[in-house]
Amino acid sequence: MKACIRDTAAAMTAVTAVVALAACGAGAGADAGGGDGPRIALLLPDATTARWEAQDRPLLEKKIQELCDTCEIEHANARGEVANQQEQMDSMITKGVDAIVLVAVDARSLGPAVSKARAAGVPVIAYDRLAEGPIAGYVSFDGVEVGRLQGRALLRAMGDKAPDPQIVMMNGDPADPNAASFKEGALSVLRGKVRIGKAYDTLQWRTETAHMNMSAAIAALGVKAIHGVYAANDGLAAGSISALKANKIDPLPPVTGQDAELGALRRIVAGDQYMTVFKPFGPEAEAGGAMAVAAARKEGLGRVATGEVATRGDGRVPAVLLTPVSVTADTIKDTVVKEGLHSVDQICTPRLRAACEKAGLT
């Protein structure tokens, strides 16, 4: 084992090493003999945000199977309902799964369920969102840095076009701890440099709620008084942009985003959305899968983690925090396309052919 750890660490980057280390321990787990292997539950929060089912779930499942070919994977989606996820947690505990990967719908509300899981000997890995309660480990991106990237991009896009720039902030779901981190990072950049005309928290990250709130902001501030829009993710960007267009605002103010969704990339190429934040789901799923397998095998998570994170009332736990990447029209090719998230053919519909040529995507 020591030789495997030493050789792997010398040859790979941090996240890749995490995965390789978990693989080194494959022969030592309870499933080594080829019998019934550990059972790992993947509990996702909603189907509103495209990434959970389209990206994270298949990548997590693939990585878990690579590291543990006898592991069984259970999956459930809460469809945005706290009660659903609480029931799903109870069900997985009753089934006796060996580990749970949890993307909490509401971090605070799921705290008691996390405590119940630990009492039953089931470690919970908080994935992407820092759930409350006695989690065993955490895998995500640096949320404060996400907000900083968004804030810097918004200032850059607005430039000096308005002497006293005013923005609308379309923040995420207050039940999601990441939303607070994004907001903190954005405000650290924007504070003192712009006026915040209106700011909204968006329950369950709903696109239609963002549309409604942006319409209200336009009515309150006026069609010519919005110089930029801080949208915490691509779904909120889509809702905000649809409201701006419905009110015939032209040209559109710069709008931020996050998650590098296909629709967002098309909007960026078209000039409707200024930027998004790319969080490479592959490395996140690799780290999450490695941590889940280690937890299910009752192996220490310290060798999987690259650091620690503070949790509310439970000290510090092993964590992997990855670095997000800002994406604008001129960097799509060298980021999301290069990493294989979306292809040029997927992004460049016939309607966008000229814009794609301008962005160097042909």
Side-chain angles (χ1 to χ4, degrees):
M1 176 62 69
K2 290 183 179 178
C4 182
I5 293 174
R6 184 174 58 250
D7 293 343
T8 301
M12 296 187 174
T13 61
V15 173
T16 306
V18 165
V19 179
L21 291 175
C24 287
D31 56 315
D36 292 339
R39 287 186 292 167
I40 297 172
L42 304 181
L43 300 186
L44 303 180
D46 61 65
T48 303
T49 304
R51 61 168 290 188
W52 302 125
E53 295 290 347
Q55 298 291 337
D56 295 87
R57 178 187 171 187
L59 288 170
L60 279 163
E61 290 177 343
K62 178 182 178 182
K63 186 50 58 181
I64 289 169
Q65 292 296 328
E66 285 179 0
L67 300 178
C68 176
D69 60 5
T70 59
C71 279
E72 298 178 25
I73 301 172
E74 303 265 1
H75 161 260
N77 190 306
R79 304 290 172 182
E81 298 293 334
V82 171
N84 287 347
Q85 197 163 63
Q86 289 170 330
E87 291 175 4
Q88 290 162 0
M89 284 283 288
D90 286 342
S91 174
M92 296 303 174
I93 294 167
T94 300
K95 288 181 178 180
V97 298
D98 297 285
I100 296 173
V101 177
L102 172 67
V103 188
V105 173
D106 182 322
R108 181 168 297 178
S109 297
L110 267 293
V114 174
S115 296
K116 184 176 179 180
R118 185 162 86 165
V122 181
V124 176
I125 306 302
Y127 183 83
D128 201 75
R129 299 175 180 176
L130 186 60
E132 292 194 7
I135 60 172
Y138 178 51
V139 176
S140 190
F141 285 81
D142 185 338
V144 174
E145 180 61 16
V146 169
R148 292 192 196 104
L149 291 175
Q150 294 169 320
R152 291 178 194 133
L154 190 58
L155 290 178
R156 184 168 58 252
M158 289 190 297
D160 57 0
K161 297 174 185 176
D164 185 21
Q166 178 171 245
I167 70 167
V168 173
M169 289 195 77
M170 206 64 64
N171 299 308
D173 189 340
D176 178 354
N178 284 351
S181 296
F182 305 149
K183 182 178 177 181
E184 175 189 343
L187 287 176
S188 73
V189 173
L190 297 170
R191 192 178 284 115
K193 296 179 181 177
V194 299
R195 284 187 298 117
I196 300 172
K198 289 290 182 180
Y200 302 92
D201 292 332
T202 315
L203 296 178
Q204 297 183 8
W205 298 89
R206 291 189 178 278
T207 299
E208 59 269 28
T209 303
H211 178 104
M212 178 182 67
N213 288 338
M214 181 55 67
S215 296
I218 294 168
L221 301 175
V223 295
K224 296 183 179 181
I226 298 173
H227 306 111
V229 178
Y230 168 80
N233 80 350
D234 290 335
L236 303 187
S240 299
I241 291 167
S242 67
L244 292 166
K245 287 187 170 184
N247 283 273
K248 303 187 185 306
I249 294 179
D250 185 23
L252 293 173
V255 181
T256 66
Q258 178 185 181
D259 289 334
E261 293 182 359
L262 181 58
L265 296 173
R266 289 171 177 167
R267 289 191 297 273
I268 290 171
V269 170
D272 294 340
Q273 182 173 329
Y274 178 67
M275 64 85 70
T276 187
V277 176
F278 175 39
K279 300 185 298 186
F281 303 131
E284 187 178 19
E286 287 179 358
M291 196 171 279
V293 170
R297 289 175 171 151
K298 312 304 179 189
E299 298 171 351
L301 301 186
R303 65 179 185 144
V304 175
T306 56
E308 292 183 332
V309 69
T311 62
R312 205 175 274 185
D314 201 54
R316 303 182 71 82
V317 298
V320 175
L321 293 179
L322 302 163
T323 303
V325 179
S326 179
V327 178
T328 56
D330 58 354
T331 62
I332 289 174
K333 189 172 185 178
D334 291 331
T335 54
V336 295
V337 172
K338 184 177 180 180
E339 293 294 326
L341 179 63
H342 301 296
S343 69
V344 170
D345 287 343
Q346 289 175 313
I347 298 167
C348 294
T349 62
R351 181 179 66 85
L352 294 174
R353 186 171 292 114
C356 280
E357 289 178 0
K358 183 178 179 180
L361 287 173
T362 55

